[in-house]
Amino acid sequence: MRRGQMRAGRYSGFAKRCMAIGVILAFMAVACLGRLVGIQLLDGRSTAQAATQSRTTTVPISAKRGRILDTNGNVLAQSVERYTLLADPYAASLFEPVACGSNQAKSLGYCHQIDDQPVGATGAAAVARLLATVLDGVNAMELGAKLDGVSRYQVIQRDITPELKRKIDDLHLAGVVWCELSSDRIYSTGTQLGALLGGVDDEGNGVNGIEQMMNDELTGTDGYEVYQQGNGGEQIPGTMTDSEAAVDGSDVTLTIDQDVNWYVKKVLREGKEEFGAAWAIGVVHDLQTNEIIALEDTDEIEAGSDDAKLNVSQAVSETFEPGSIGKVITMAGLLQTGLHKATDQFTVPYSMTKNGQEFHDATNHGSEHWTLAGILQNSSNVGMVMAAENYTNEQRYEFLTKFGVGQSTGLDLPGESDGMLAGADAWDGRTRDTVLFGQGYTVNALQLTNVVATIANKGVRHQQSLIKSVTDAQGRVTSEEHGDAVRVIDEQVAADVLNAMESVAEEYDNVAKVDGYRVASKTGTAEVAGADGRLTSIVCDWSGIIPADNPRFVVTVVIKDPQKGGFGGLTAGPLFARIGEFLMQKYEVAPSSPRTDAIPVDW
């Protein structure tokens, strides 16, 4: 009886435990069922949205930076399509090549092999071996080490061309490696216009030069696309929900003529070597349009390089005393104020003392009988001081500023200097007279060029231009606006000064003549501070109008510290002639008529 009762008790306890477990399982089943119902019926929408959101990505579309063109449409700078090759090292560690001929290969429609042979590895090593077949100069073992790790982002190579990207895509490594769109700024000019063009930084923003000055116009507006991605990072067809097209930057057309600029650079290089100079600068100003068609120096800086991003164009930053070219301004002022006529007669000694200050000419001579035109022709410092006896400080300053000395050129080029011109009330007893012959103030080559261009333009100073137009992504062209023209001197005054400048040029026919064309010019030589701070350096310059009888161009050449030649007429002058001859031929300018109206230079 007791044994039966014990057995019945054991069965009863087991049944209770089974019932308890059954109840627990039933509760779990109900809970799971409830959760399932909740997910399907109550939370289904939010769960689906979360899944969709996890797959949805916003992909930026980069806008292309605008081009920089010369006046003839030749491309000086442009952005080309490039990619950055990226990898996911963690995904690479899990990579299994698809064997050719396998069911997986048949299902996917591709397989992995190298020279018709199996890859022979898995993981990062396999990815590296496959990439090494298309990446030139890449060692598979080194690349494998780069891909070895658990990080999710690794830059493999930059500046991938579209052609190379297609080869990488054909490796079928989606989800492991991918190409991210970028761009590369390339320049066709070499060392031409190097620092003047400048460059761009890693973010594609203009740094220095035209790239910086016109950055707003050149920079486009990025777009985007919103779509769902598959596990391999590919776009799931039909899932794009939003997009905005990128708007490329505008093209900027310069007034620079690349052919002329190239020739000017060539002449400057040759001149620097020929005369043993420290540097040389050249400017060509088209008088028909008042556009700068060449702006060069002897710096060997490549556009887009680090040097181009860090250094300012010497052609716009370098300032110097113009020397005797400044006498053009003085003669114009003396004529405009009515103090003198170009034919007024002077007896000019080699030297003179005025208010305790001694002045002398560049070369020794006796007392010469020169007209005011002759004073300019012979570049006499003494003659200019004599002629300006009643020319007040205020008048001297007025005409210097009217001709643009100490004033901005309006080009707004990065690093451009306005030069230096102190107010008349700050001049000492010597400076008030040295400004008459181009000393005591400084200019840049563009300012000096526009002084002479004002004479060539019949006494009217025009705003020079370097930017011709801007063309937006829709093809709309906007011409650059320029400041108003300003009359500086009367037309007859300008004609008389130009006449005297033509007599100056005739003095240099043996070294700076352009056969078949009359030239009106002025030379200058000025002492400037050297590296030691003393007046141990010189700047030689020449600015000329060609043809003189029908002005078309102004050409300015500036040379620093020539070891041969010395004076501006003997160094900068011959370089002017070479450039002038090229311009006459390129633009097929009609030859000059004979000169018949020369103002007397002596009496």
Side-chain angles (χ1 to χ4, degrees):
M1 182 66 179
R2 179 176 291 179
R3 182 179 300 170
Q5 290 176 341
M6 292 177 62
R7 184 179 300 167
R10 286 199 297 271
Y11 289 153
S12 177
F14 177 75
K16 290 178 180 180
R17 286 194 296 274
C18 287
M19 289 178 65
I21 293 171
V23 170
I24 293 172
L25 290 176
F27 274 116
M28 291 178 63
V30 170
C32 290
L33 181 61
R35 180 59 180 158
L36 180 61
V37 170
I39 292 174
Q40 293 292 333
L41 299 180
L42 302 178
D43 298 333
R45 181 183 298 274
S46 60
T47 302
Q49 288 176 346
T52 299
Q53 187 174 4
S54 68
R55 295 193 302 268
T56 301
T57 184
T58 300
V59 179
I61 303 174
S62 299
K64 185 179 291 186
R65 188 173 178 82
R67 300 175 299 171
I68 300 177
L69 313 171
D70 87 335
T71 189
N72 298 313
N74 296 312
V75 178
L76 306 177
Q78 64 179 324
S79 294
V80 294
E81 183 180 335
R82 291 292 184 268
Y83 295 85
T84 300
L85 178 60
L86 305 170
D88 179 343
Y90 176 73
S93 68
L94 304 176
F95 177 73
E96 294 281 347
V98 177
C100 294
S102 65
N103 291 332
Q104 184 183 15
K106 294 176 183 179
S107 173
L108 294 173
Y110 65 83
C111 64
H112 299 105
Q113 58 181 356
I114 299 174
D115 295 332
D116 299 325
Q117 299 295 320
V119 176
T122 61
V127 175
R129 291 185 185 184
L130 288 166
L131 284 174
T133 63
V134 296
L135 299 179
D136 291 335
V138 172
N139 181 278
M141 291 184 65
E142 294 177 357
L143 182 56
K146 196 171 186 180
L147 289 168
D148 186 24
V150 294
S151 69
R152 305 306 303 263
Y153 185 90
Q154 177 69 53
V155 176
I156 302 301
Q157 187 170 310
R158 300 184 188 275
D159 296 331
I160 299 292
T161 65
E163 180 184 8
L164 181 53
K165 177 187 179 296
R166 288 192 291 271
K167 292 180 179 179
I168 294 171
D169 290 342
D170 290 341
L171 294 176
H172 300 290
L173 296 173
V176 179
V177 298
W178 65 96
C179 290
E180 188 175 272
L181 180 64
S182 62
S183 65
D184 188 25
R185 195 69 167 169
I186 61 173
Y187 301 84
S188 63
T189 57
T191 58
Q192 272 194 73
L193 303 168
L196 186 66
L197 288 175
V200 296
D201 60 20
D202 292 340
E203 301 300 319
N205 295 313
V207 179
N208 210 356
I210 301 296
E211 293 277 24
Q212 177 183 338
M213 185 176 79
M214 301 300 291
N215 189 59
D216 288 346
E217 291 80 1
L218 290 164
T219 302
T221 303
D222 290 345
Y224 63 87
E225 290 182 345
V226 179
Y227 55 79
Q228 295 180 41
Q229 289 181 328
N231 293 333
E234 72 281 0
Q235 179 181 346
I236 300 175
T239 61
M240 185 178 294
T241 57
D242 192 14
S243 66
E244 184 171 318
V247 178
D248 291 340
S250 299
D251 290 342
V252 173
T253 299
L254 306 183
T255 61
I256 296 291
D257 185 317
Q258 188 177 16
D259 292 340
V260 177
N261 200 84
W262 169 83
Y263 190 77
V264 169
K265 181 88 169 182
K266 175 178 179 293
V267 169
L268 294 176
R269 284 170 170 164
E270 293 170 349
K272 176 184 175 182
E273 182 176 354
E274 179 181 350
F275 298 112
W279 50 254
I281 295 170
V283 182
V284 179
H285 176 127
D286 187 337
L287 291 165
Q288 288 186 346
T289 60
N290 295 296
E291 296 175 345
I292 303 300
I293 63 172
L295 183 59
E296 267 299 348
D297 55 54
T298 49
D299 280 347
E300 296 297 327
I301 294 176
E302 290 194 10
S305 66
D306 289 342
D307 283 342
K309 299 172 189 176
L310 295 172
N311 294 285
V312 176
S313 169
Q314 194 173 44
V316 301
S317 66
E318 196 70 49
T319 59
F320 49 89
E321 291 186 343
S324 290
I325 297 181
K327 293 168 183 169
V328 169
I329 300 175
T330 302
M331 182 176 178
L334 292 173
L335 296 181
Q336 184 66 31
T337 56
L339 291 174
H340 286 293
K341 296 182 178 64
T343 54
D344 285 356
Q345 300 173 349
F346 300 85
T347 299
V348 183
Y350 163 69
S351 64
M352 65 176 290
T353 300
K354 178 184 175 185
N355 298 326
Q357 299 292 327
E358 183 178 352
F359 300 94
H360 60 81
D361 289 341
T363 56
N364 200 356
H365 60 78
S367 292
E368 301 289 348
H369 293 149
W370 289 328
T371 64
L372 183 57
I375 289 173
L376 187 72
Q377 181 199 46
N378 291 280
S379 199
S380 172
N381 297 340
V382 173
M384 280 296 168
V385 173
M386 293 174 61
E389 180 66 28
N390 297 315
Y391 193 41
T392 67
N393 284 7
E394 290 70 27
Q395 289 172 323
R396 299 173 195 208
Y397 181 81
E398 175 190 358
F399 281 95
L400 285 167
T401 55
K402 279 186 173 181
F403 273 94
V405 175
Q407 312 296 308
S408 169
T409 63
L411 296 177
D412 298 324
L413 289 163
E416 181 182 359
S417 172
D418 292 343
M420 182 278 295
L421 174 63
D425 56 354
W427 294 346
D428 58 26
R430 184 171 184 81
T431 301
R432 72 178 301 271
D433 287 321
T434 62
V435 296
L436 299 171
F437 45 84
Q439 296 182 21
Y441 63 88
T442 61
V443 295
N444 64 32
L446 286 163
Q447 291 170 324
L448 187 60
T449 301
N450 214 13
V451 167
V452 176
T454 300
I455 301 299
N457 280 321
K458 301 180 179 180
V460 177
R461 181 161 70 95
H462 292 267
Q463 170 63 58
Q464 296 169 312
S465 62
L466 190 63
I467 307 300
K468 189 167 190 173
S469 64
V470 175
T471 305
D472 68 17
Q474 287 71 44
R476 294 186 293 261
V477 180
T478 303
S479 297
E480 288 293 285
E481 295 183 1
H482 308 301
D484 295 333
V486 178
R487 177 161 290 283
V488 177
I489 53 178
D490 294 340
E491 187 171 333
Q492 186 56 53
V493 170
D496 288 347
V497 175
L498 189 148
N499 191 307
M501 291 174 66
E502 189 168 355
S503 296
V504 173
E506 289 176 348
E507 289 291 292
Y508 293 92
D509 272 356
N510 60 327
V511 293
K513 183 178 182 180
V514 179
D515 288 336
Y517 297 91
R518 289 160 52 183
V519 171
S521 63
K522 188 67 190 80
T523 71
T525 306
E527 292 181 322
V528 296
D532 57 1
R534 297 180 298 167
L535 296 179
T536 54
S537 287
I538 61 170
V539 167
C540 301
D541 47 18
W542 173 296
S543 191
I545 302 162
I546 183 170
D549 55 326
N550 186 22
R552 176 65 197 279
F553 297 104
V554 173
V555 179
T556 299
V557 177
V558 186
I559 298 181
K560 172 76 175 295
D561 285 336
Q563 301 304 303
K564 304 174 185 176
F567 297 112
L570 302 178
T571 53
L575 305 189
F576 160 88
R578 295 175 205 173
I579 296 169
E581 182 179 14
F582 176 84
L583 292 169
M584 297 302 96
Q585 293 176 358
K586 174 179 172 60
Y587 292 94
E588 299 180 348
V589 178
S592 295
S593 57
R595 187 183 187 196
T596 59
D597 62 347
I599 296 173
V601 294
D602 48 28
W603 55 280

